[in-house]
Amino acid sequence: MPDREHRIDNRIDKGQARRAFSRAAECYDQVAVLQREIGQRMLDRLELVRLQPRVILDIGAGTGVATAALAARYRKARVVALDFALPMLQQARKRGGWLRKPRCICGDLEQLPLADHSVDLVYSNAALQWSNDLDSAFGEFRRVLRPGGLLMFTTFGPDTLKELRAAWAAVDNGSHVSTFIDMHDVGDALMRAGLADPVMDVDRLTLTYERVGGLMRELKILGAHNVNSDRRRGLTGKGRLQAMQAAYEQFRRAQDGLLPASYEVVYGHAWAPEEGHRSNAPSISLDQIGSDLNRAGRGG
């Protein structure tokens, strides 16, 4: 199973990732241009789906931009935001009207603290790359979906930040850039989870910067810098950083003089089979989710 082997060698340090996103929460929206664009494109795709969900779960909700958009689109639905960083959910709680704040759960996408067959739509934008076990994540998505429910998600493919990866590779053999799973392996994991009629496709987007430092600062603010468990500990030496910046210059574009940062965006959707299955996983019902984050959350 290629995706499982891939993750064993390049595991995400989830504690470090959670801390990074927690620090990023207050400034995240200032630089999350790509994430918002991808999320909007995924919301646009919902226009093509005949679905009137009663319960929507936004997995990896972050500051709740998509959570609020889903609540506005499906006004009769109960929308729940889930993220593994509590400060992100505290930002999400600031959205929405006084009487319709999003319900929030602090938890991990590989161990969803929700009851079997309790959700009609699972929406997950740019979150699956923080999973160490895609089979477990998709298995959980299927478990909480009602029969006939829809999973819609995005994640990043292996060409993401390929210029930054190549520039660091010219300097040393260390792990400096997070690794991402190929679209075909993601599709295979959907099939193994028993999700029906999976559809996958890819979009390639490019952000541009005057200097590499701008990209590095943005990744840090986003909380999306390298959190692989095999990354170098401690500060990166000034000499190696300068060498990486020099190596990145080979990608500077002639037409506008800017440096590109490539993103391979993987889109996918699939349906829960009409015949569901039960699980013994610890879970809570949605009626137990109160408006207070301390009551609603469970550490992931």
Side-chain angles (χ1 to χ4, degrees), residues 78-98:
R78 182 184 302 180
V79 183
V80 179
L82 181 141
D83 202 277
F84 69 171
L86 183 62
M88 286 287 190
L89 294 173
Q90 291 169 335
Q91 295 297 315
R93 284 287 297 165
K94 297 177 182 180
R95 301 183 187 275
W98 179 256

Side-chain angles (χ1 to χ4, degrees), residues 87-269:
M88 286 287 190
L89 294 173
Q90 291 169 335
Q91 295 297 315
R93 284 287 297 165
K94 297 177 182 180
R95 301 183 187 275
W98 179 256
L99 297 176
R100 202 159 185 251
K101 295 288 185 183
R103 301 189 177 203
C104 298
I105 305 175
C106 191
D108 190 285
L109 56 79
E110 293 173 9
Q111 293 178 304
L112 296 176
L114 290 173
D116 292 3
H117 310 154
S118 57
V119 176
D120 301 290
L121 170 61
V122 169
Y123 172 103
S124 181
N125 179 36
L128 278 166
Q129 66 271 17
W130 303 110
S131 169
N132 279 321
D133 189 336
L134 205 54
D135 288 313
S136 293
F138 282 148
E140 281 292 272
F141 294 179
R142 176 185 169 176
R143 180 183 66 79
V144 302
L145 278 169
R146 291 192 177 106
L150 174 64
L151 163 63
M152 182 170 280
F153 66 90
T154 64
T155 188
F156 294 113
D159 278 348
T160 298
L161 298 174
K162 62 183 180 181
E163 299 90 355
L164 184 60
R165 184 175 292 105
W168 274 119
V171 176
D172 61 33
N173 295 322
S175 174
H176 295 277
V177 182
S178 296
T179 52
F180 305 98
I181 300 177
D182 183 84
M183 178 185 71
H184 300 94
D185 293 331
V186 176
D188 289 345
L190 281 173
M191 296 293 290
R192 287 195 297 272
L195 289 156
D197 302 322
V199 176
M200 307 286 301
D201 65 289
V202 167
D203 203 359
R204 298 181 187 277
L205 304 176
T206 303
L207 300 183
T208 55
Y209 301 84
E210 293 185 0
R211 299 284 183 271
V212 184
L215 169 61
M216 301 291 284
R217 283 190 297 273
E218 191 169 285
L219 291 174
K220 185 173 183 179
I221 293 172
L222 286 170
H225 53 288
N226 182 27
V227 291
N228 282 353
S229 59
D230 62 348
R231 71 192 184 281
R232 286 179 181 269
R233 298 305 199 267
L235 297 175
T236 300
K238 184 177 180 180
R240 283 191 293 126
L241 185 59
Q242 289 176 337
M244 181 277 290
Q245 291 172 334
Y248 208 118
E249 286 296 318
Q250 67 181 298
F251 301 109
R252 191 173 292 279
R253 306 194 310 185
Q255 65 268 34
D256 56 17
L258 297 175
L259 294 172
S262 298
Y263 288 85
E264 179 185 348
V265 184
V266 176
Y267 296 85
H269 73 259

Side-chain angles (χ1 to χ4, degrees), residues 14-54:
K14 288 203 174 183
Q16 178 65 19
R18 183 183 293 108
R19 289 188 289 273
F21 279 105
S22 295
R23 290 191 297 268
E26 290 188 5
C27 300
Y28 186 86
D29 287 340
Q30 298 174 18
V31 292
V33 177
L34 180 72
Q35 287 75 8
R36 285 196 300 274
E37 175 63 24
I38 298 169
Q40 185 58 53
R41 292 185 184 193
M42 187 159 60
L43 288 167
D44 292 343
R45 292 178 179 220
L46 281 172
E47 296 285 355
L48 305 176
V49 178
R50 291 185 178 181
L51 187 69
Q52 291 300 322
R54 290 171 290 167

